Structure formats: C-alpha cells, structure tokens
Amino acid sequence: MPYSKFTLSKVVEEFQLTIIEGERFLPDVPPVQPSPLLQDTLKETIPWAIAVSSEKARSEGIINPVLLEVKRQLKGQVSVFSGEEFTVQPEVDLTGYVDFLISRSPEQLFIKAPAVILVEAKKEDLKPALGQCLAEMVAAQRFNQQKQQPISTIYGTVTSGTVWRFLKLEGQSVVIDLTDYPLPPVEQILGFLVWMVQNG
C-alpha cells in the first residue's frame, strides 16, 4: 500500500502513535530573508500557480523554489528530493514516492540519512494529506534508525504552496499544529524550515 492510502486514523492505529492536536511547537524563530532569486521567482510563479491551481503547478512554482532556497540558505549542506521513491519497510506498507524530502546530508544522488523533513503537496484541502505525510514521517524515522543515523525529531508539512501546516514526530508522539501559515510572506516559512533542518 503506498503512502497515499494512509488516513490519519490508519497511520495512528497501525504504528501506535499518540496525537496532540493544535499545539504550536515551532518557537518564535527569526524570519529568513529570501535571496533575490527566490523573490523574483515567487513574484512570477505564485500568481501563475494560483491561476492554474493544479498540485503540479503549485509544487513546481512555489514549493520547490522555497525548498531549494532552504538548501541555498544552508550553503548546500542539505539535499532536497522531489518525487523520489522512498520504500523503507514494504512489509508494513511504508512504501511509495514522497513529494519532497529534505535530508541533512549534502548527497544529492540518492536519499541518505538523516531524513529530517517530509513535504506533502496538495492543491487545496490539507486535512486528507495529514495521514500520508505522517506515514512518510514514520518511514523517515525508521529509515534513519536502519542507517544508524537516528535523530530525535522528524518534521512534516502539508502545503498547497500558499498555505503551510506543520507536524512533528518524536518517538510515538505526534504534534499537529492546526495553524495554517500563509505564504506570502515567505520569510516566516523559510525561518521555520531552516530551523527544522537544524533542530530535527
């Protein structure tokens, strides 16, 4: 069963997770000033992605440029994967493709541990994607353990590009921040993503 088949209730039940709803776990991190390249890109692509309104347009026009900016801000010391196969434990259905994954390794030819942020793109309603994103986060947690690179926290985000919602997985405990953070402005989202990479 691919990640996309997981509902929130199914992933919680299958992997014995505890959910804490609504609690903001992100600290007041300073906003990150985007590069002129990202500013120019988003000025052109946000109206286009909103007009076209497909998941693909939003992924290519907004989400991917923002994630590549995180890599730029961190001087290329992380890797960003898009549409990559991430089969970790087929026997428990942790298999399939992820929309986006950020690893703390600079290796870009293949996913190398530790995987720290999973990003699930949706064109509108974010709620149905929470289960899929959480299943991918559980897979990342197990992937890191398999590769002897365990990290204490895995982060996830479900986003339409213009709205971002964040999740945190520590052990068997999941916190889902029910705040929808807007983009634009991009500075706060960049601040959150850079902080998550550094503190996962």
Side-chain angles (χ1 to χ4, degrees), residues 23-83:
E23 187 177 289
R24 177 174 167 152
F25 57 82
L26 292 159
D28 288 325
V29 297
V32 169
Q33 188 60 35
S35 65
L37 175 60
L38 181 63
Q39 289 175 323
D40 291 346
T41 300
L42 291 180
K43 190 185 295 183
E44 185 175 331
T45 59
I46 288 176
W48 169 78
I50 290 171
V52 173
S53 199
S54 70
E55 189 178 306
K56 193 168 192 302
R58 287 171 175 270
S59 291
E60 292 172 353
I62 306 172
I63 302 166
N64 196 49
V66 168
L67 299 182
L68 290 176
E69 179 71 11
V70 172
K71 181 178 170 78
R72 197 176 298 118
Q73 293 282 341
L74 294 170
K75 311 287 187 250
Q77 292 308 299
V78 299
S79 49
V80 176
F81 294 91
S82 172

Side-chain angles (χ1 to χ4, degrees), residues 47-161:
W48 169 78
I50 290 171
V52 173
S53 199
S54 70
E55 189 178 306
K56 193 168 192 302
R58 287 171 175 270
S59 291
E60 292 172 353
I62 306 172
I63 302 166
N64 196 49
V66 168
L67 299 182
L68 290 176
E69 179 71 11
V70 172
K71 181 178 170 78
R72 197 176 298 118
Q73 293 282 341
L74 294 170
K75 311 287 187 250
Q77 292 308 299
V78 299
S79 49
V80 176
F81 294 91
S82 172
E84 193 80 12
E85 184 174 0
F86 191 54
T87 296
V88 177
Q89 285 186 311
E91 66 277 13
V92 291
D93 294 328
L94 294 177
T95 180
Y97 290 81
V98 293
D99 285 347
F100 296 97
L101 180 151
I102 298 178
S103 166
R104 245 196 236 140
S105 163
E107 176 64 60
Q108 195 63 74
L109 291 173
F110 59 92
I111 298 174
K112 192 171 176 184
V116 65
I117 302 177
L118 283 300
V119 181
E120 190 53 43
K122 284 291 167 244
K123 71 175 183 178
E124 39 209 30
D125 186 10
L126 302 184
K127 188 178 174 186
L130 292 172
Q132 183 175 350
C133 187
L134 185 52
E136 293 166 3
M137 292 164 70
V138 170
Q141 188 181 57
R142 294 182 178 201
F143 173 77
N144 293 340
Q145 289 165 350
Q146 288 171 4
K147 304 295 184 186
Q148 279 82 51
Q149 292 275 335
I151 55 176
S152 61
T153 308
I154 304 291
Y155 293 101
T157 179
V158 176
T159 179
S160 66

